[in-house]
Amino acid sequence: MTKRLENKIAIITGSGRGIGRACALRYGQEGAVVVVNDINAENVAKVTGEIVAAGGKAISYPADVTDPAQVQAMVDRAVSEFGRLDVLIQNAAISNTNKRPGQSVEEYAATTRPSNVSLDEMRAVWETNVFGVLAVYQAMLPLLREAPQARIVNVSSGVGSLTASSDPAYPWRAIFGPVYPASKTALNALTIAMAIELEPEGIKVNAVSPGFTRTNLNGYAGTETVEEGAREAVRVALLGHDGPTGTFTRWENATIPW
Ligand SMILES: NC(=O)c1ccc[n+]([C@@H]2O[C@H](COP(=O)([O-])OP(=O)(O)OC[C@H]3O[C@@H](n4cnc5c(N)ncnc54)[C@H](OP(=O)(O)O)[C@@H]3O)[C@@H](O)[C@H]2O)c1
């Protein structure tokens, strides 16, 4: 197999499990030096070990992306260990902080409507899914600028699509609310802003949706495997010089309306 990421440095946030882990394993197979980041240090060590055991290159960077000091420590390490960053996958996210065990997505959505949502709950989710992404972007940008063809992939979700959620026929319309879905809408807005900012420098910034994937995020209710969920992020990170920026797609290269 041709290793398409040979010697590239790739940081994947939230890669201790789920879709991020599947991206990390795949990047290891593609020859990247995979920087495994997650809030859960035990999972970071486990995934790093899995990549190395499979013959790949990986390094552990446990950190909470909502903690500025921990993000800065990651950057300081990356500056001294690599001096550049080729690929940044912004994958870390949470769907809630207070869903009761056994509570369905629909039941949780009913408690997080604009009229009754806890502002603390909304802030907590946006802290990881929106502000955490922006903080990592700002911190890592100097390193990305040192790479010849840097790529940023923001892992979003189809449920963040305003166009889809405005369509009465959209199956997820009923769960559109201020917490997780709107955090992904905000992430989409950040994606466009980042793509516009970096277009003159040739750094491509794209958003992807993994599809409904079996992970902890949705209580393992999803229908896709994590390997399937990881495919679009992997594809977009490999876009060449002529590839697009500022897109929102699902596998394989199917455009999702903003
Ligand atoms: N699963 C789906 O159906 C689906 C659909 C659309 C979009 N997505 C998106 O896909 C991405 C991956 O989600 P997933 O389904 O793989 O969920 P997951 O299995 O819960 O993985 C998310 C990972 O991010 C970590 N994380 C959470 N907060 C963090 C923080 N502050 N700093 C660093 N790491 C943090 C989690 O740590 P813990 O292990 O401690 O929780 C976990 O390992 C997310 O952006 C999600 O929104 C998923």
Side-chain angles (χ1 to χ4, degrees):
M1 165 177 148
T2 320
K3 293 190 172 182
R4 293 173 295 175
L5 288 169
E6 193 77 75
N7 297 323
K8 302 267 189 202
I9 314 296
I11 295 189
I12 306 167
T13 66
S15 50
R17 60 175 164 179
I19 294 160
R21 171 179 164 273
C23 281
L25 296 179
R26 187 62 206 288
Y27 276 45
Q29 291 165 1
E30 292 280 2
V33 177
V34 186
V35 177
V36 181
N37 158 264
D38 201 278
I39 197 169
N40 183 318
E42 215 172 289
N43 285 343
V44 168
K46 223 187 288 174
V47 174
T48 304
E50 284 181 276
I51 295 170
V52 172
K57 291 169 262 188
I59 184 159
S60 296
Y61 277 30
D64 176 348
V65 298
T66 69
D67 181 325
Q70 293 186 34
V71 170
Q72 191 54 49
M74 272 206 298
V75 172
D76 292 345
R77 269 190 74 180
V79 166
S80 67
E81 284 170 343
F82 313 113
R84 71 168 210 282
L85 175 61
D86 299 282
V87 178
L88 171 63
I89 310 283
Q90 296 256 35
N91 167 80
I94 56 174
S95 56
N96 68 85
T97 69
N98 65 6
K99 188 156 91 58
R100 287 195 321 275
Q103 193 178 28
S104 70
V105 170
E106 290 74 16
E107 285 164 348
Y108 172 77
T111 67
T112 52
R113 298 272 177 226
S115 59
N116 61 2
V117 68
S118 142
L119 294 190
D120 285 343
E121 174 72 349
M122 183 176 168
R123 278 196 194 99
V125 171
W126 282 55
E127 199 58 55
T128 301
N129 299 7
V130 183
F131 297 107
V133 170
L134 188 58
V136 170
Y137 171 83
Q138 291 184 349
M140 297 287 175
L141 200 48
L143 282 162
L144 289 157
R145 286 183 160 137
E146 293 298 324
Q149 280 199 18
R151 301 285 175 262
I152 299 173
V153 181
N154 291 334
V155 182
S156 183
S157 169
V159 301
S161 165
L162 291 177
T163 306
S165 297
S166 302
D167 176 357
Y170 182 56
W172 296 103
R173 184 174 200 245
I175 63 142
F176 189 81
V179 182
Y180 178 80
S183 78
K184 292 300 187 180
T185 311
L187 175 63
N188 289 348
L190 285 183
T191 303
I192 296 279
M194 293 167 183
I196 291 169
E197 179 174 30
L198 297 181
E199 200 162 24
E201 299 174 56
I203 300 178
K204 299 185 191 305
V205 188
N206 292 291
V208 300
S209 174
F212 192 37
T213 309
R214 271 190 298 288
T215 68
N216 185 62
L217 190 95
N218 52 35
Y220 300 90
T223 48
E224 307 271 304
T225 65
V226 287
E227 290 75 21
E228 289 167 337
R231 288 178 302 189
E232 190 63 1
V234 170
R235 186 191 71 80
V236 167
L238 288 162
L239 286 173
H241 187 63
D242 298 336
T245 188
T247 64
F248 183 23
T249 56
R250 66 166 59 90
W251 182 258
E252 179 186 357
N253 198 20
T255 294
I256 305 174
W258 299 106

